[in-house]
Amino acid sequence: SVCSAITAMALAVIWTIAAMGAASMRVDPSLPGLGVDKQVTVSGLSSGAFMAVQYHISHSSTTVGVASFAGGPFWCANDDVEIALHACMVEPQNIDPSALGFFTRKAAEILSIDPLDNLKTAKVFIYSGKNDTVVVPGVAPKLSEYYSLYVPESSIKVVLNISSEHSMPTANGFGSPCGFLGTPYINQCGYDGAYESLSYLLGPPLIRAKPAQAKLQNLKPFDQSGFFVTGLPELEGMGVKGFVYIPTQCQQPESHCRLHVAFHGCEQGEYLIDNTFAWNAGYNAHAEANGIVILYPQAYQIPDLNPKGCWDWWGFTGPDYACSLGIQVAVVHKMVLALQRPPSTLIAAAL
């Protein structure tokens, strides 16, 4: 069943390993406490969109908004890769939001996700390109229908009128033509997906920055392994290196910046394209202008199970993948908590 409580034995094994590795799990100084806002927003592309929805539903008490670019509903895949590849990507007529809502309620009842009442005040941004052949446009309305079970329709924005292929749509001069399908899955469409989603989730409207306002020195690599639950990348499905964009103003104590988590899509991880997604997806300039820290966690490939380095939205890390017990959800949540720690007097040295 969805996000069922895993056995006591399995929990004991996981947390025994975690305790044994406690010394190696100390927060790397390149991911310092910044005292960012306790209310978080998330977004993602493709597998990252499914992951963003999973994180939102799991941690809705502190996650107040989500943006999905080419993604679908929570628990869409039902812990089954075949359902993921078919219904959730190219056969949306087989997605049943009401049934997924039932599973969601069951997960809440056993405390695998936060109480669903939190979603009454959430904001949801949903984007699907008109020419998307990977996650077809019909999936987006199913996501909207799912969220409307919990979120007022006035708080759900759906964008379906941009002629993009499967990609992060940008207006920053970087990327492939809008109708192109392929790496790095960032396409120039004259539509600033990062700005439009951030502004909707964090509005009143944000300052619309020029691309040149982003500062490369503010995009910091950090060691993700210190946050791993098991300590083993091959079990986490995550790479050792992650990125965080820390605007200049957010590097000062008492800056009170906000935090947004951006999940890349399949074949966009650092191990394949370095910082291309983190630097070029369009978030950083607006983050610099509006005081928003952007966390870019990084997934990693697992041969046979996850050859394209996707986020887990079908169960390759275990049956609890979609909820707060899920390994990747738990790892990213630990990163969020680290950034929310009070600023240290050593912050300048750490940065």
mmCIF file of all heavy atoms in Angstrom, residues 3-20 110-112 229-230 319-320 323-327 330:
data_model
loop_
_atom_site.group_PDB
_atom_site.id
_atom_site.type_symbol
_atom_site.label_atom_id
_atom_site.label_comp_id
_atom_site.label_asym_id
_atom_site.label_seq_id
_atom_site.Cartn_x
_atom_site.Cartn_y
_atom_site.Cartn_z
ATOM 1 N N CYS A 3 3.014 4.262 0.695
ATOM 2 C CA CYS A 3 3.762 4.800 1.824
ATOM 3 C C CYS A 3 3.448 4.082 3.124
ATOM 4 O O CYS A 3 3.334 4.695 4.178
ATOM 5 C CB CYS A 3 3.485 6.299 1.981
ATOM 6 S SG CYS A 3 4.143 7.275 0.634
ATOM 7 N N SER A 4 3.268 2.754 3.055
ATOM 8 C CA SER A 4 3.000 1.991 4.269
ATOM 9 C C SER A 4 4.216 2.068 5.166
ATOM 10 O O SER A 4 5.349 2.137 4.699
ATOM 11 C CB SER A 4 2.700 0.533 3.925
ATOM 12 O OG SER A 4 3.783 -0.033 3.230
ATOM 13 N N ALA A 5 3.973 2.049 6.467
ATOM 14 C CA ALA A 5 5.093 2.103 7.409
ATOM 15 C C ALA A 5 5.983 0.891 7.189
ATOM 16 O O ALA A 5 5.520 -0.243 7.228
ATOM 17 C CB ALA A 5 4.565 2.119 8.836
ATOM 18 N N ILE A 6 7.273 1.117 6.938
ATOM 19 C CA ILE A 6 8.170 -0.008 6.692
ATOM 20 C C ILE A 6 8.446 -0.714 8.005
ATOM 21 O O ILE A 6 8.246 -0.158 9.085
ATOM 22 C CB ILE A 6 9.468 0.447 6.012
ATOM 23 C CG1 ILE A 6 10.192 1.495 6.855
ATOM 24 C CG2 ILE A 6 9.204 0.966 4.630
ATOM 25 C CD1 ILE A 6 11.467 1.988 6.214
ATOM 26 N N THR A 7 8.880 -1.947 7.940
ATOM 27 C CA THR A 7 8.982 -2.781 9.136
ATOM 28 C C THR A 7 9.968 -2.211 10.134
ATOM 29 O O THR A 7 10.916 -1.513 9.792
ATOM 30 C CB THR A 7 9.428 -4.208 8.771
ATOM 31 O OG1 THR A 7 10.749 -4.133 8.244
ATOM 32 C CG2 THR A 7 8.508 -4.835 7.735
ATOM 33 N N ALA A 8 9.728 -2.568 11.388
ATOM 34 C CA ALA A 8 10.613 -2.084 12.451
ATOM 35 C C ALA A 8 12.042 -2.550 12.214
ATOM 36 O O ALA A 8 13.002 -1.827 12.483
ATOM 37 C CB ALA A 8 10.111 -2.581 13.807
ATOM 38 N N MET A 9 12.179 -3.763 11.686
ATOM 39 C CA MET A 9 13.520 -4.274 11.424
ATOM 40 C C MET A 9 14.226 -3.425 10.382
ATOM 41 O O MET A 9 15.400 -3.075 10.543
ATOM 42 C CB MET A 9 13.458 -5.727 10.945
ATOM 43 C CG MET A 9 14.828 -6.344 10.700
ATOM 44 S SD MET A 9 14.732 -8.074 10.177
ATOM 45 C CE MET A 9 14.077 -8.814 11.668
ATOM 46 N N ALA A 10 13.506 -3.084 9.307
ATOM 47 C CA ALA A 10 14.125 -2.273 8.260
ATOM 48 C C ALA A 10 14.505 -0.905 8.793
ATOM 49 O O ALA A 10 15.588 -0.393 8.506
ATOM 50 C CB ALA A 10 13.171 -2.139 7.081
ATOM 51 N N LEU A 11 13.611 -0.323 9.597
ATOM 52 C CA LEU A 11 13.926 0.973 10.196
ATOM 53 C C LEU A 11 15.161 0.870 11.079
ATOM 54 O O LEU A 11 16.030 1.745 11.060
ATOM 55 C CB LEU A 11 12.733 1.463 11.023
ATOM 56 C CG LEU A 11 11.660 2.258 10.273
ATOM 57 C CD1 LEU A 11 10.495 2.539 11.204
ATOM 58 C CD2 LEU A 11 12.226 3.560 9.730
ATOM 59 N N ALA A 12 15.219 -0.193 11.855
ATOM 60 C CA ALA A 12 16.360 -0.355 12.754
ATOM 61 C C ALA A 12 17.663 -0.446 11.983
ATOM 62 O O ALA A 12 18.670 0.148 12.363
ATOM 63 C CB ALA A 12 16.162 -1.614 13.609
ATOM 64 N N VAL A 13 17.638 -1.178 10.874
ATOM 65 C CA VAL A 13 18.846 -1.316 10.054
ATOM 66 C C VAL A 13 19.267 0.037 9.498
ATOM 67 O O VAL A 13 20.431 0.432 9.571
ATOM 68 C CB VAL A 13 18.610 -2.324 8.915
ATOM 69 C CG1 VAL A 13 19.760 -2.276 7.924
ATOM 70 C CG2 VAL A 13 18.459 -3.729 9.484
ATOM 71 N N ILE A 14 18.292 0.772 8.936
ATOM 72 C CA ILE A 14 18.604 2.062 8.316
ATOM 73 C C ILE A 14 19.204 3.024 9.336
ATOM 74 O O ILE A 14 20.233 3.646 9.103
ATOM 75 C CB ILE A 14 17.348 2.666 7.679
ATOM 76 C CG1 ILE A 14 16.979 1.864 6.418
ATOM 77 C CG2 ILE A 14 17.576 4.138 7.317
ATOM 78 C CD1 ILE A 14 15.658 2.288 5.812
ATOM 79 N N TRP A 15 18.544 3.142 10.485
ATOM 80 C CA TRP A 15 19.001 4.148 11.438
ATOM 81 C C TRP A 15 20.231 3.699 12.214
ATOM 82 O O TRP A 15 20.989 4.525 12.713
ATOM 83 C CB TRP A 15 17.858 4.537 12.371
ATOM 84 C CG TRP A 15 16.779 5.241 11.605
ATOM 85 C CD1 TRP A 15 15.514 4.821 11.351
ATOM 86 C CD2 TRP A 15 16.912 6.493 10.909
ATOM 87 N NE1 TRP A 15 14.843 5.715 10.561
ATOM 88 C CE2 TRP A 15 15.672 6.755 10.278
ATOM 89 C CE3 TRP A 15 17.952 7.411 10.757
ATOM 90 C CZ2 TRP A 15 15.438 7.893 9.510
ATOM 91 C CZ3 TRP A 15 17.729 8.544 10.006
ATOM 92 C CH2 TRP A 15 16.487 8.769 9.391
ATOM 93 N N THR A 16 20.470 2.375 12.303
ATOM 94 C CA THR A 16 21.730 1.911 12.876
ATOM 95 C C THR A 16 22.885 2.305 11.971
ATOM 96 O O THR A 16 23.921 2.798 12.426
ATOM 97 C CB THR A 16 21.711 0.382 13.073
ATOM 98 O OG1 THR A 16 20.675 0.053 13.983
ATOM 99 C CG2 THR A 16 23.041 -0.100 13.630
ATOM 100 N N ILE A 17 22.694 2.096 10.668
ATOM 101 C CA ILE A 17 23.713 2.519 9.707
ATOM 102 C C ILE A 17 23.938 4.023 9.808
ATOM 103 O O ILE A 17 25.069 4.510 9.810
ATOM 104 C CB ILE A 17 23.296 2.133 8.274
ATOM 105 C CG1 ILE A 17 23.300 0.617 8.113
ATOM 106 C CG2 ILE A 17 24.235 2.759 7.245
ATOM 107 C CD1 ILE A 17 22.718 0.139 6.801
ATOM 108 N N ALA A 18 22.819 4.764 9.926
ATOM 109 C CA ALA A 18 22.930 6.226 10.019
ATOM 110 C C ALA A 18 23.708 6.636 11.262
ATOM 111 O O ALA A 18 24.557 7.523 11.214
ATOM 112 C CB ALA A 18 21.535 6.847 10.039
ATOM 113 N N ALA A 19 23.416 5.971 12.377
ATOM 114 C CA ALA A 19 24.108 6.320 13.619
ATOM 115 C C ALA A 19 25.594 5.992 13.531
ATOM 116 O O ALA A 19 26.448 6.767 13.976
ATOM 117 C CB ALA A 19 23.473 5.560 14.782
ATOM 118 N N MET A 20 25.918 4.842 12.929
ATOM 119 C CA MET A 20 27.317 4.456 12.788
ATOM 120 C C MET A 20 28.085 5.449 11.936
ATOM 121 O O MET A 20 29.279 5.683 12.137
ATOM 122 C CB MET A 20 27.408 3.058 12.171
ATOM 123 C CG MET A 20 26.922 1.943 13.092
ATOM 124 S SD MET A 20 26.822 0.342 12.242
ATOM 125 C CE MET A 20 28.544 0.099 11.827
ATOM 126 N N ILE A 110 -1.822 7.098 8.214
ATOM 127 C CA ILE A 110 -0.746 6.380 8.912
ATOM 128 C C ILE A 110 0.486 7.262 9.133
ATOM 129 O O ILE A 110 1.559 6.791 9.470
ATOM 130 C CB ILE A 110 -0.342 5.095 8.162
ATOM 131 C CG1 ILE A 110 0.216 5.404 6.769
ATOM 132 C CG2 ILE A 110 -1.511 4.128 8.075
ATOM 133 C CD1 ILE A 110 0.793 4.187 6.065
ATOM 134 N N LEU A 111 0.305 8.561 8.930
ATOM 135 C CA LEU A 111 1.314 9.580 9.251
ATOM 136 C C LEU A 111 2.567 9.470 8.385
ATOM 137 O O LEU A 111 3.646 9.904 8.791
ATOM 138 C CB LEU A 111 1.693 9.515 10.730
ATOM 139 C CG LEU A 111 0.531 9.593 11.728
ATOM 140 C CD1 LEU A 111 1.051 9.531 13.156
ATOM 141 C CD2 LEU A 111 -0.315 10.842 11.508
ATOM 142 N N SER A 112 2.428 8.888 7.190
ATOM 143 C CA SER A 112 3.557 8.837 6.269
ATOM 144 C C SER A 112 3.740 10.153 5.523
ATOM 145 O O SER A 112 4.787 10.390 4.931
ATOM 146 C CB SER A 112 3.362 7.702 5.256
ATOM 147 O OG SER A 112 3.445 6.458 5.879
ATOM 148 N N VAL A 229 20.878 8.887 3.973
ATOM 149 C CA VAL A 229 20.262 8.076 5.029
ATOM 150 C C VAL A 229 21.055 6.801 5.262
ATOM 151 O O VAL A 229 21.320 6.408 6.396
ATOM 152 C CB VAL A 229 18.803 7.743 4.662
ATOM 153 C CG1 VAL A 229 18.183 6.777 5.684
ATOM 154 C CG2 VAL A 229 17.961 9.024 4.583
ATOM 155 N N THR A 230 21.453 6.139 4.178
ATOM 156 C CA THR A 230 22.191 4.883 4.302
ATOM 157 C C THR A 230 23.689 5.076 4.188
ATOM 158 O O THR A 230 24.457 4.207 4.567
ATOM 159 C CB THR A 230 21.767 3.900 3.201
ATOM 160 O OG1 THR A 230 22.188 4.404 1.929
ATOM 161 C CG2 THR A 230 20.262 3.702 3.192
ATOM 162 N N PRO A 319 9.533 0.877 -1.502
ATOM 163 C CA PRO A 319 8.097 1.142 -1.644
ATOM 164 C C PRO A 319 7.620 2.432 -0.993
ATOM 165 O O PRO A 319 6.516 2.893 -1.288
ATOM 166 C CB PRO A 319 7.451 -0.080 -0.991
ATOM 167 C CG PRO A 319 8.485 -0.593 -0.030
ATOM 168 C CD PRO A 319 9.801 -0.327 -0.694
ATOM 169 N N ASP A 320 8.421 3.014 -0.119
ATOM 170 C CA ASP A 320 8.023 4.247 0.555
ATOM 171 C C ASP A 320 8.568 5.495 -0.138
ATOM 172 O O ASP A 320 8.597 6.572 0.446
ATOM 173 C CB ASP A 320 8.501 4.215 2.010
ATOM 174 C CG ASP A 320 7.834 3.115 2.809
ATOM 175 O OD1 ASP A 320 6.613 3.151 2.960
ATOM 176 O OD2 ASP A 320 8.542 2.198 3.257
ATOM 177 N N CYS A 323 6.806 9.195 0.022
ATOM 178 C CA CYS A 323 6.395 9.879 1.246
ATOM 179 C C CYS A 323 7.602 10.272 2.091
ATOM 180 O O CYS A 323 8.744 10.162 1.663
ATOM 181 C CB CYS A 323 5.445 8.995 2.040
ATOM 182 S SG CYS A 323 6.220 7.489 2.643
ATOM 183 N N SER A 324 7.337 10.730 3.303
ATOM 184 C CA SER A 324 8.424 11.246 4.134
ATOM 185 C C SER A 324 9.420 10.161 4.527
ATOM 186 O O SER A 324 10.554 10.469 4.884
ATOM 187 C CB SER A 324 7.847 11.905 5.394
ATOM 188 O OG SER A 324 7.052 10.988 6.129
ATOM 189 N N LEU A 325 9.017 8.891 4.458
ATOM 190 C CA LEU A 325 9.932 7.792 4.729
ATOM 191 C C LEU A 325 10.822 7.481 3.540
ATOM 192 O O LEU A 325 11.799 6.749 3.672
ATOM 193 C CB LEU A 325 9.144 6.530 5.105
ATOM 194 C CG LEU A 325 8.368 6.551 6.421
ATOM 195 C CD1 LEU A 325 7.505 5.304 6.531
ATOM 196 C CD2 LEU A 325 9.316 6.644 7.609
ATOM 197 N N GLY A 326 10.479 7.971 2.370
ATOM 198 C CA GLY A 326 11.266 7.703 1.178
ATOM 199 C C GLY A 326 12.680 8.236 1.309
ATOM 200 O O GLY A 326 12.899 9.336 1.830
ATOM 201 N N ILE A 327 13.635 7.474 0.822
ATOM 202 C CA ILE A 327 15.041 7.831 1.017
ATOM 203 C C ILE A 327 15.347 9.203 0.430
ATOM 204 O O ILE A 327 15.930 10.071 1.099
ATOM 205 C CB ILE A 327 15.957 6.754 0.401
ATOM 206 C CG1 ILE A 327 15.954 5.498 1.278
ATOM 207 C CG2 ILE A 327 17.385 7.269 0.251
ATOM 208 C CD1 ILE A 327 16.761 4.340 0.716
ATOM 209 N N ALA A 330 13.624 12.064 2.236
ATOM 210 C CA ALA A 330 14.249 12.277 3.541
ATOM 211 C C ALA A 330 15.580 13.004 3.413
ATOM 212 O O ALA A 330 15.896 13.904 4.211
ATOM 213 C CB ALA A 330 14.441 10.944 4.257
#
